[in-house]
Amino acid sequence: MKILIIEDNQTICRQLGEFLAGHQWQIDFAHNAHLGVQLALEQIYDVILLDLNLPDRDGLLVCEEIKRSAEVTPPILMLTARDSFEDKAVGFRSGADDYLTKPFDLRELVLRCEALARRHSLHKSKTLTLGELTLDTRTKTAVHKGVLLDLTSIGFRILELLVNCYPEPASRAYIVHQLWGDSPPESDALKSHIYALRKSLDQSFDKPMIKTVMNVGYKLEQPCHVD
Amino acid sequence: MKILIIEDNQTICRQLGEFLAGHQWQIDFAHNAHLGVQLALEQIYDVILLDLNLPDRDGLLVCEEIKRSAEVTPPILMLTARDSFEDKAVGFRSGADDYLTKPFDLRELVLRCEALARRHSLHKSKTLTLGELTLDTRTKTAVHKGVLLDLTSIGFRILELLVNCYPEPASRAYIVHQLWGDSPPESDALKSHIYALRKSLDQSFDKPMIKTVMNVGYKLEQPCHVD
DNA sequence: AATTTAATTTCACCTATATTTCACTTTCCA
DNA sequence: TGGAAAGTGAAATATAGGTGAAATTAAATT
């Protein structure tokens, strides 16, 4: 889990940092709006904690800009002393996903971060099915038209992501983030993994299943199916 | 916006219903766990409000079942008087996306419902529509009269700008700035892109859709439509 | 601990497609 | 009718993605 804390108060930063780091989360800090936006746009965070009182710019504008421009829109939790209904209304209207007023229970903050970051029922069901393709997430095995596929661990995870996204394409950035989190390989390893996955998937079958969507990512396609 | 309220207290139901209905939302009620789960699984709701004290079953179990079994996992907001940290922890652990303790400000409930629905809809595609033209901004695909258009990345972005400006024309300077920012290409590349875009758009259709506005820019025109 | 095996990452080169550039033609309007 | 603005289309260039093997790392086995 990767979190960005945009907050200028050193004391609160330290306090938050210590508590959250105890949960094995990786935490980045931005002590002003400028750095906060920059980090939010160039990295993919699971949650962003945003203080509204920043030295250089209003936190509401920071929220709006991140929501507007981020490639993979991150959930934003606003942390502030402003506790009136009007303040909350403005906050949510700027795109906040949650809003916590100071002082707050750090443990509740953790709960809310987890809720925000919770991946969409990704590992809920044990088996995923798409046409003649079946994935067993427990044993990490995939069967296509009755044939057991010989997949590597990463190959299986990519396929799982693609099935979950179907029929939408999964963006490169999203796949990379899901596979490697905050420290993806230097080179474009995903390219090689897709290549290998295609080989395993399409062996001895007519239609290729993984389609490239230029400048976006990859998607699965059902053969013999007109939509 | 479609909401399911699972709550057995008639007074609260009425109160919630009246307030939320004022927001033009469509609301379904379930007075017990059984009906709640049934509705949640057979309909697609933008948000589910779940009271934890239900006559026939614990709300926590209801939450878990819905999260586990729903075709499209809906966001769930728990409403309860249980306000201790442990209660919240159990609630979130059951899969709740938000948690509000009674008594609460109805207006804040509305804000949180909107935030949940917004977050949920991120996973769906955002589409722009103009007559028989539909753009999917997430997958960067465009469909005209049921025909998938073969657009390049820049072609799609131009079309997106034009749709957003409709019925006003988008000026050349504006389009160029949106596409390339402060460092546009030396040559008048926009001219070529418009040319290519027209080819893709108008293929096999009667009326051209992109109209040139001399000395200004370009605008879209709806065919068979007199303004 | 050493060896083998497999998985993952890195890299260099190749191909397909997208974008830019440019020369030329047509259209518009004063 | 002359000049500016826009259209046309192909060539040159840039970039994204595919291919395949070698280098590296991690895992399993002896």
Side-chain angles (χ1 to χ4, degrees):
Chain A
M1 181 110 127
K2 192 173 170 186
I3 297 199
L4 172 63
I5 301 179
I6 309 178
E7 158 79 75
D8 75 316
N9 183 308
Q10 297 286 342
T11 315
I12 296 179
C13 272
R14 197 173 39 73
Q15 196 182 2
L16 279 173
E18 280 172 13
F19 195 80
L20 297 181
H23 287 261
Q24 313 283 4
W25 297 352
Q26 196 219 310
I27 305 175
D28 288 354
F29 291 98
H31 49 276
N32 60 54
H34 179 73
L35 180 61
V37 171
Q38 191 191 322
L39 284 173
L41 297 189
E42 70 188 22
Q43 313 251 348
I44 296 181
Y45 291 99
D46 295 291
V47 179
I48 294 179
L49 301 185
L50 175 64
D51 179 59
L52 292 187
N53 281 318
L54 295 170
D56 51 338
R57 198 145 146 257
D58 190 342
L60 294 168
L61 296 175
V62 172
C63 181
E64 284 166 21
E65 173 149 6
I66 293 173
K67 287 288 180 175
R68 184 171 353 102
S69 310
E71 189 164 356
V72 179
T73 314
I76 293 182
L77 194 161
M78 287 187 178
L79 293 175
T80 170
R82 309 176 190 174
D83 67 346
S84 76
F85 166 73
E86 280 70 24
D87 288 322
K88 291 179 185 174
V90 175
F92 278 113
R93 200 167 303 129
S94 297
D97 294 279
D98 202 346
Y99 193 103
L100 218 44
T101 50
K102 300 174 183 176
F104 49 80
D105 185 337
L106 276 172
R107 300 171 304 169
E108 178 168 348
L109 176 64
V110 171
L111 292 180
R112 290 186 175 272
C113 284
E114 285 171 342
L116 287 174
R118 195 142 45 210
R119 287 295 157 211
H120 258 278
S121 65
L122 209 56
H123 303 289
K124 280 288 152 56
S125 70
K126 288 192 281 290
T127 63
L128 296 169
T129 306
L130 178 59
E132 298 206 77
L133 177 67
T134 306
L135 305 197
D136 186 324
T137 54
R138 185 168 306 285
T139 60
K140 270 99 173 71
T141 52
V143 174
H144 187 206
K145 303 194 181 184
V147 181
L148 179 69
L149 300 179
D150 179 32
L151 300 180
T152 65
S153 159
I154 286 193
F156 181 84
R157 290 170 65 198
I158 295 176
L159 192 54
E160 192 182 352
L161 290 173
L162 292 177
V163 170
N164 274 315
C165 285
Y166 181 85
E168 300 286 301
S171 78
R172 282 195 128 72
Y174 174 74
I175 298 175
V176 167
H177 179 246
Q178 291 297 312
L179 291 181
W180 295 288
D182 51 301
S183 48
E186 305 275 311
S187 69
D188 188 357
L190 176 57
K191 214 157 59 167
S192 295
H193 288 295
I194 290 284
Y195 175 63
L197 177 55
R198 278 188 167 129
K199 270 198 177 174
S200 312
L201 254 178
D202 299 338
Q203 58 180 14
S204 78
F205 299 120
D206 32 349
K207 291 273 179 54
M209 283 203 70
I210 299 179
K211 194 184 170 206
T212 304
V213 182
M214 261 273 185
N215 285 305
V216 179
Y218 300 93
K219 62 181 266 193
L220 283 180
E221 251 181 11
Q222 290 249 51
C224 349
H225 206 88
V226 186
D227 6 54
Chain B
M1 184 110 126
K2 194 172 168 188
I3 297 200
L4 172 64
I5 300 179
I6 309 178
E7 158 79 75
D8 74 317
N9 183 310
Q10 298 285 343
T11 314
I12 297 180
C13 272
R14 196 174 40 72
Q15 197 182 2
L16 279 173
E18 280 173 13
F19 194 81
L20 297 181
H23 287 260
Q24 314 281 3
W25 296 353
Q26 193 212 312
I27 304 176
D28 287 355
F29 292 97
H31 300 300
N32 58 57
H34 180 73
L35 180 60
V37 171
Q38 190 191 325
L39 284 172
L41 298 189
E42 68 189 22
Q43 311 256 345
I44 295 182
Y45 292 99
D46 295 293
V47 180
I48 294 179
L49 301 185
L50 175 63
D51 179 60
L52 292 188
N53 281 318
L54 295 169
D56 50 339
R57 200 141 73 96
D58 189 343
L60 294 169
L61 296 175
V62 171
C63 180
E64 283 164 23
E65 172 148 8
I66 293 172
K67 287 286 181 176
R68 185 176 346 106
S69 310
E71 188 89 22
V72 180
T73 315
I76 294 182
L77 194 161
M78 287 187 177
L79 293 174
T80 170
R82 309 176 190 173
D83 66 347
S84 75
F85 165 74
E86 281 69 25
D87 287 323
K88 292 179 185 172
V90 175
F92 278 114
R93 199 166 304 129
S94 297
D97 295 278
D98 202 346
Y99 192 103
L100 216 46
T101 50
K102 298 175 184 173
F104 50 82
D105 185 337
L106 275 172
R107 299 171 304 169
E108 177 168 348
L109 176 64
V110 171
L111 293 180
R112 290 186 176 272
C113 284
E114 286 171 340
L116 286 174
R118 180 165 10 126
R119 170 118 212 98
H120 194 59
S121 68
L122 269 185
H123 290 262
K124 300 180 207 153
S125 299
K126 292 173 212 149
T127 61
L128 294 170
T129 305
L130 178 59
E132 298 208 77
L133 177 67
T134 306
L135 304 198
D136 185 324
T137 55
R138 233 172 68 66
T139 63
K140 280 112 169 61
T141 52
V143 173
H144 187 207
K145 304 194 181 184
V147 181
L148 179 70
L149 300 179
D150 180 32
L151 301 180
T152 67
S153 167
I154 286 193
F156 180 84
R157 289 171 65 198
I158 294 175
L159 192 54
E160 194 181 351
L161 290 173
L162 293 177
V163 170
N164 278 319
C165 286
Y166 181 86
E168 298 294 309
S171 78
R172 278 173 163 276
Y174 172 74
I175 298 175
V176 168
H177 184 258
Q178 289 297 311
L179 291 181
W180 295 286
D182 298 323
S183 46
E186 305 278 309
S187 69
D188 187 359
L190 175 57
K191 217 157 56 170
S192 294
H193 287 297
I194 291 284
Y195 175 64
L197 178 54
R198 279 188 166 127
K199 269 200 180 172
S200 313
L201 254 178
D202 299 338
Q203 58 178 17
S204 78
F205 298 120
D206 33 348
K207 291 273 178 54
M209 283 203 70
I210 299 179
K211 195 185 172 203
T212 303
V213 182
M214 262 280 177
N215 290 309
V216 179
Y218 301 92
K219 62 180 271 192
L220 283 180
E221 250 182 10
Q222 291 249 51
C224 349
H225 206 90
V226 187
D227 3 54

